[in-house]
Amino acid sequence: EAGVTQFPSHSVIEKGQTVTLRCDPISGHDNLYWYRRVMGKEIKFLLHFVKESKQDESGMPNNRFLAERTGGTYSTLKVQPAELEDSGVYFCASSQTPSGLDEQYFGPGTRLTVT
Amino acid sequence: AQTVTQSQPEMSVQEAETVTLSCTYDTSESDYYLFWYKQPPSRQMILVIRQEAYKQQNATENRFSVNFQKAAKSFSLKISDSQLGDAAMYFCAYRSAYTGNQFYFGTGTSLTVIP
């Protein structure tokens, strides 16, 4: 069974440009999460999808970030326009059920560098 | 919001020895779940071990065990008989049993295993 995949693995863009990150969850996982780790800091929650609906987007930093999950399959996270502080590693995770001891399966992350 | 603290940015251990990684957390909730995730270099995070706050018995998974001290809000990870493959970044995570489905992560501990 394929794990969570993310594309691209690394992206370098200039301030003001737009970048779109993609996440493909494990097949059959209704729950999809986005997290971000800024260098040396903790991994922070951005948002949670259940199928195609946003269950919790309390972690989204501002309206420059737009997440979508059309059809409840893969998800995209667009940053427009990118700022220097958006640099970091963006992780996607998926799970069958959203709570308790259930494991979230993580992708390898997309390293975003904004120059 | 809950906070998770990993006070050891870096740790090292001799191969075959035992090492303990510390994790403390701050919460006013009585029920929650705690996790340790491991991220090997250039690979995705994988679950190492998990524990429910209501369970008194410390979780164990082969060479990995935890020391869960609920009153002290401490959840340390012990790795016995360390192997070269244990070298990774280790993240401690908290999940509420009441609010939301996100993980709250610590800043991570980078573990080096010395042959």
Side-chain angles (χ1 to χ4, degrees):
Chain A
E1 179 184 87
V4 177
T5 56
Q6 293 186 245
F7 182 83
S9 58
H10 196 174
S11 179
V12 181
I13 61 172
E14 292 183 354
K15 177 182 170 181
Q17 290 186 323
T18 296
V19 63
T20 301
L21 314 181
R22 173 170 170 146
C23 168
D24 286 77
I26 291 172
S27 178
H29 282 191
D30 288 339
N31 295 274
L32 187 149
Y33 309 81
W34 283 98
Y35 292 86
R36 175 175 73 173
R37 183 179 190 223
V38 173
M39 177 77 80
K41 301 214 169 174
E42 71 272 26
I43 300 171
K44 279 194 171 180
F45 168 80
L46 296 178
L47 87 159
H48 169 209
F49 282 100
V50 178
K51 297 186 181 178
E52 66 275 9
S53 300
K54 291 176 186 172
Q55 178 79 10
D56 179 358
E57 51 184 329
S58 61
M60 294 288 264
N62 52 59
N63 59 10
R64 295 186 294 102
F65 289 75
L66 175 64
E68 294 181 321
R69 192 181 182 195
T70 308
T73 54
Y74 71 91
S75 175
T76 57
L77 179 64
K78 181 160 74 173
V79 185
Q80 179 183 31
E83 297 288 345
L84 298 178
E85 64 264 26
D86 300 333
S87 296
V89 180
Y90 290 76
F91 293 101
C92 175
S94 72
S95 67
Q96 284 187 311
T97 58
S99 58
L101 277 172
D102 292 323
E103 177 180 358
Q104 290 184 13
Y105 296 84
F106 283 80
T110 292
R111 182 174 296 278
L112 175 65
T113 303
V114 183
T115 62
Chain B
Q2 286 75 16
T3 57
V4 177
T5 301
Q6 292 180 251
S7 59
Q8 307 152 315
E10 297 178 346
M11 292 281 285
S12 62
V13 62
Q14 289 286 147
E15 196 175 2
E17 296 295 307
T18 295
V19 64
T20 298
L21 308 184
S22 68
C23 172
T24 58
Y25 54 93
D26 184 23
T27 186
S28 58
E29 298 175 337
S30 58
D31 196 15
Y32 46 85
Y33 308 93
L34 297 165
F35 302 76
W36 277 98
Y37 273 84
K38 162 187 174 181
Q39 185 180 24
S42 301
R43 295 180 60 188
Q44 52 219 85
M45 278 201 291
I46 55 174
L47 178 67
V48 175
I49 199 165
R50 52 192 153 182
Q51 170 101 30
E52 181 174 6
Y54 264 103
K55 292 215 168 157
Q56 302 278 1
Q57 187 171 7
N58 288 323
T60 299
E61 291 285 345
N62 301 314
R63 297 182 296 105
F64 298 87
S65 61
V66 297
N67 183 6
F68 174 48
Q69 302 286 332
K70 191 172 184 180
K73 297 179 184 175
S74 172
F75 184 62
S76 60
L77 174 69
K78 185 170 88 170
I79 306 173
S80 304
D81 186 25
S82 297
Q83 300 176 0
L84 295 178
D86 295 333
M89 181 71 82
Y90 286 81
F91 292 98
C92 178
Y94 172 105
R95 174 191 251 164
S96 170
Y98 306 104
T99 58
N101 303 306
Q102 60 179 282
F103 284 148
Y104 294 90
F105 283 95
T107 50
T109 296
S110 178
L111 179 66
T112 300
V113 181
I114 302 165

